[in-house]
Amino acid sequence: MGPRAPLLLLLLLWWSGPLGGQQQHLVEYMERRLVALEERLAQCQDQSSRHAAELRDFKNKMLPLLEVAEKEREALRTEADTMAGRVDRLEREVDYLEAQSPALPCEEVNEKAPGGPGAKGKGRRNEKYDMVTDCGYTISQVRSMKILKRFGGAAGLWTKDPLGPPERIYVLDGAQNDTALVFPRLRDFTLAMAARKASRVRVPFPWVGTGQLVYGGFLYYARRPPGGPGGGGEPEDTLQLIKFHLANRTVVDSSVFPAEGLIPPYGLTADTVIDLAADEEGLWAVYATREDDRHLCLAKLDPQTLDTEQQWDTPCPRENAEAAFVICGTLYVVYNTRPASRARVQCSFDASGTLSPERAALPYFPRRYGAHASLRYNPRERQLYAWDDGYQLVYKLELRRKEEEV
């Protein structure tokens, strides 16, 4: 090599140094860009996964709501159809009544009377009742008694819905209140702090008395009509029946009970103004009026419309009566003394005429000296749910065929 070779090598090394550094910076720049792109792609994937999860949760939440909305829509449609049918029926009845008995000119009509607007038909009176089921049983004896607990005041009601969930308990404390307690199971009601386990259902109008009834998912109870005595409203002795939907918590129907001069039916239980009862045949009402203030009356009600289908004047006296219940179309009246002693069924009335008073058993209740504020018969269990001076009792009944001899 010549003397110029080292000089050439130095020149080549000098030029190759800057080119190598630029390539290295370019590679590092590309690597940083790729890392940034990967991070953004990862963020997009996380956001997409999160949005997909939120959409799934939203869908899972909306599906039950849509199902509930669909059920409510169907229920509203059914209720609207029912109301339309009732309106058509009422229009036909009004047309018929106008054709049969047109109003005289200049005749004043008292719309506040129990027979005016808002009152249901009185129905047939003292006619034989035609059974709608094959139920032919009568009470033979009150077999046993169980004291569940003591809850609430001296007057009240506890019961089950004979057509509803078999374990659910309804407690209505007091002769005038607007809040019912609902327990999912009997065991929850028997706990020491039972009220904490209960759900509360508030009705829009306070009930009066201890004659309420839970039947078919509805609470039937009586209230004083608006206005009251001296206020230009209904008379003091008039009652309005309310049909309250327990699930929807709405008033489904109401009716002024078609009886004038109502008085408490039981001589020993002044808190009861009208006593609603249910049996295998449906819905009944025990009441009394000033027209015959010595005896009880019985009415058969339509649970759908609150119409009074039939009424009877019974031979059962009001004096010393404390409660009553109905089994297979037969009214059983429980009597006691003041001060309270051992209660006994001393009068029965079969609306169908199958069971004569001579062949009816008149059993004593198990030995306990108390006073029944209310009695509720459960046809599914054949038991009586009693409220006795704040104690909640259960009586097991023994039944027999009406045709059998005592």
Side-chain angles (χ1 to χ4, degrees), residues 114 222-225 235-241 255-265 272-275 285-291 293 297 311 318:
R223 68 173 290 231
R224 295 294 182 191
E236 184 179 3
D237 53 8
T238 300
L239 289 177
Q240 185 180 19
L241 299 182
S255 167
V256 175
F257 188 71
E260 298 178 354
L262 287 172
I263 57 178
T272 302
V273 292
I274 188 172
D275 202 7
V286 184
Y287 65 100
T289 65
R290 291 193 180 93
E291 183 178 357
D293 59 358
C297 297
Q311 292 175 298
R318 291 180 57 240

Side-chain angles (χ1 to χ4, degrees), residues 73-397:
R73 186 174 68 87
E74 292 297 330
L76 289 174
R77 179 183 298 174
T78 302
E79 186 175 352
D81 294 339
T82 303
M83 293 296 295
R86 291 180 61 194
V87 169
D88 293 339
R89 176 170 58 84
L90 289 174
E91 289 179 349
R92 290 194 299 270
E93 291 178 356
V94 169
D95 293 339
Y96 173 78
L97 292 175
E98 289 179 349
Q100 294 296 322
S101 56
L104 297 175
C106 300
E107 180 181 1
E108 294 183 359
V109 179
N110 183 10
E111 295 184 351
K112 298 298 182 180
K120 304 288 183 173
K122 290 187 176 182
R124 305 188 306 275
R125 193 168 193 90
N126 294 326
E127 295 184 11
K128 182 179 178 181
Y129 174 70
D130 295 326
M131 302 284 288
V132 296
T133 69
D134 58 354
C135 184
Y137 292 96
T138 180
I139 187 172
S140 176
Q141 63 175 329
V142 183
R143 192 169 56 189
S144 63
M145 174 190 69
K146 182 177 181 181
I147 303 176
L148 267 297
K149 66 177 304 180
R150 186 169 189 177
F151 182 90
L157 165 77
W158 80 297
T159 184
K160 289 184 177 181
D161 185 350
L163 303 180
E167 294 294 327
R168 190 170 297 169
I169 299 293
Y170 299 88
V171 178
L172 290 82
D173 184 21
Q176 187 168 358
N177 202 343
D178 63 354
T179 303
L181 302 180
V182 184
F183 297 87
R185 292 177 301 274
L186 181 63
R187 182 179 60 185
D188 296 326
F189 177 58
T190 58
L191 296 176
M193 306 299 289
R196 296 182 179 180
K197 294 286 185 178
S199 60
R200 286 167 168 76
V201 177
R202 188 172 182 178
V203 296
F205 314 111
W207 64 74
V208 292
T210 55
Q212 302 85 356
L213 177 70
V214 178
Y215 184 75
F218 298 93
L219 172 63
Y220 298 85
Y221 69 94
R223 68 173 290 231
R224 295 294 182 191
E234 301 287 350
E236 184 179 3
D237 53 8
T238 300
L239 289 177
Q240 185 180 19
L241 299 182
I242 302 295
K243 181 180 179 182
F244 181 79
H245 198 296
L246 289 167
N248 297 340
R249 304 195 178 189
T250 56
V251 174
V252 178
D253 203 351
S254 64
S255 167
V256 175
F257 188 71
E260 298 178 354
L262 287 172
I263 57 178
Y266 308 129
L268 297 181
T269 315
D271 290 329
T272 302
V273 292
I274 188 172
D275 202 7
L276 301 177
D279 71 341
E280 296 80 358
E281 292 289 304
L283 186 61
W284 304 81
V286 184
Y287 65 100
T289 65
R290 291 193 180 93
E291 183 178 357
D292 182 6
D293 59 358
R294 298 178 57 189
H295 297 92
L296 298 177
C297 297
L298 179 67
K300 182 68 175 66
L301 305 180
D302 185 342
Q304 300 298 326
T305 63
L306 296 179
D307 286 335
T308 302
E309 299 174 342
Q310 288 184 251
Q311 292 175 298
W312 296 269
D313 300 315
T314 77
C316 299
R318 291 180 57 240
E319 186 178 4
N320 293 329
E322 68 174 8
F325 54 94
V326 182
I327 299 177
C328 293
T330 302
L331 172 69
Y332 300 91
V333 186
V334 180
Y335 293 85
N336 209 323
T337 59
R338 195 187 301 274
S341 62
R342 191 177 178 188
R344 182 188 182 186
V345 175
Q346 287 185 315
C347 184
S348 63
F349 173 77
D350 188 358
S352 67
T354 305
L355 181 68
S356 62
E358 296 78 16
R359 297 177 58 250
L362 302 177
Y364 279 95
F365 279 73
R367 188 176 297 278
R368 173 175 170 80
Y369 299 97
H372 296 113
S374 62
L375 287 172
R376 286 297 171 269
Y377 171 64
N378 188 309
R380 180 163 53 191
E381 302 174 347
R382 293 185 176 180
Q383 295 187 143
L384 286 175
Y385 289 81
W387 191 290
D388 185 347
D389 195 21
Y391 288 94
Q392 288 72 49
L393 316 179
V394 177
Y395 295 106
K396 289 186 179 294
L397 304 180

